[in-house]
Amino acid sequence: GENVEQHPSTLSVQEGDSAVIKCTYSDSASNYFPWYKQELGKRPQLIIDIRSNVGEKKDQRIAVTLNKTAKHFSLHITETQPEDSAVYFCAASTQGGSEKLVFGKGMKLTVNP
Amino acid sequence: EAGVAQSPRYKIIEKRQSVAFWCNPISGHATLYWYQQILGQGPKLLIQFQNNGVVDDSQLPKDRFSAERLKGVDSTLKIQPAKLEDSAVYLCASSLTTSQETQYFGPGTRLLVL
């Protein structure tokens, strides 16, 4: 089955810096890659997603890139703000069959003012 | 629109006791998921329903966990008997159709097994 690895597990940056979170996946048939943000004690919320027919997607300060050949995808946050502090999860899903999402272990981002 | 509702929000039980969680998905969402999130890890899918049918329950410990979605709307997840390692947050999520659409999560039920 699918295995999603996420790194680093923690990242601390200064406000205004950029942050990059990387994920790798094992199933070459995976074609949907969402990113979720989870603040302490709250529910995960989708912040951006990308499908395998697209290499990059942007939404204001966040962007996601996908390299299907290498089986990795990354989340980029520019001009970080303290409210970006949270745990970020990547996930991968394969079309067909159960299409279930497999999540990475998460990365705790701390943005210092 | 109203989000995914879950209850209770917190539950403390002793090992070998039973417990049940309830989820009400977003209106009109055909697909419902139960995830287990152990502290410091990502959500792990336990079971996925499409309407009232099970799509995937490959990671559900069926000797102690059960779930149902009888009328294709609300769902319950039960653990009987509970073990210490079941301590986790149990998240319910729903999506309009498939898992490749946005999954909206509920607030979760935090379970502590003593």
Side-chain angles (χ1 to χ4, degrees):
Chain A
E2 176 67 279
N3 183 47
V4 177
E5 299 285 341
Q6 189 169 349
H7 53 93
S9 58
T10 61
L11 179 64
S12 182
V13 299
Q14 289 299 121
E15 183 177 359
D17 288 351
S18 295
V20 180
I21 310 167
K22 300 178 181 180
C23 285
T24 60
Y25 60 98
S26 60
D27 189 345
S28 57
S30 290
N31 59 358
Y32 174 61
F33 307 91
W35 286 87
Y36 282 81
K37 175 183 179 182
Q38 187 174 31
E39 296 177 30
L40 187 63
K42 297 191 175 180
R43 69 192 77 190
Q45 291 192 305
L46 179 76
I47 54 171
I48 195 168
D49 58 13
I50 191 168
R51 299 181 188 275
S52 61
N53 58 344
V54 176
E56 182 176 0
K57 185 176 178 181
K58 289 184 180 180
D59 183 3
Q60 299 182 343
R61 295 186 299 108
I62 60 174
V64 58
T65 58
L66 172 65
N67 183 328
K68 287 216 75 179
T69 303
K71 290 191 282 187
H72 69 69
F73 55 113
S74 301
L75 179 72
H76 305 252
I77 307 173
T78 59
E79 300 173 26
T80 54
Q81 301 167 2
E83 50 265 39
D84 294 330
S85 296
V87 178
Y88 291 82
F89 294 97
C90 60
S93 171
T94 305
Q95 192 170 30
S98 70
E99 299 181 353
K100 67 182 180 185
L101 270 184
V102 176
F103 284 82
K105 289 189 174 182
M107 190 214 74
K108 182 178 180 181
L109 174 66
T110 302
V111 180
N112 301 301
Chain B
E1 62 182 7
V4 177
Q6 288 187 248
S7 68
R9 294 295 311 278
Y10 305 92
K11 191 74 178 179
I12 301 174
I13 61 172
E14 295 188 347
K15 60 183 179 183
R16 292 188 289 275
Q17 286 187 324
S18 63
V19 64
F21 312 128
W22 173 83
C23 173
N24 180 240
I26 293 173
S27 178
H29 280 196
T31 310
L32 183 147
Y33 317 79
W34 283 103
Y35 289 90
Q36 180 192 58
Q37 187 175 25
I38 293 173
L39 188 64
Q41 297 185 20
K44 183 184 85 171
L45 181 70
L46 293 176
I47 188 166
Q48 177 178 337
F49 292 94
Q50 183 81 11
N51 297 309
N52 61 350
V54 175
V55 175
D56 189 313
D57 63 356
S58 57
Q59 297 189 97
L60 186 74
K62 298 179 187 63
D63 58 333
R64 299 184 301 105
F65 286 64
S66 64
E68 60 184 15
R69 193 186 184 199
L70 293 176
K71 296 183 178 179
V73 181
D74 293 5
S75 176
T76 56
L77 176 70
K78 296 179 182 178
I79 307 175
Q80 182 179 12
K83 292 185 175 181
L84 297 178
E85 58 261 37
D86 298 332
S87 294
V89 175
Y90 290 85
L91 294 163
C92 179
S94 70
S95 64
L96 196 57
T97 54
T98 74
S99 67
Q100 294 205 352
E101 296 186 354
T102 302
Q103 292 189 27
Y104 295 89
F105 284 83
T109 297
R110 189 175 298 273
L111 174 67
L112 179 60
V113 183
L114 301 176

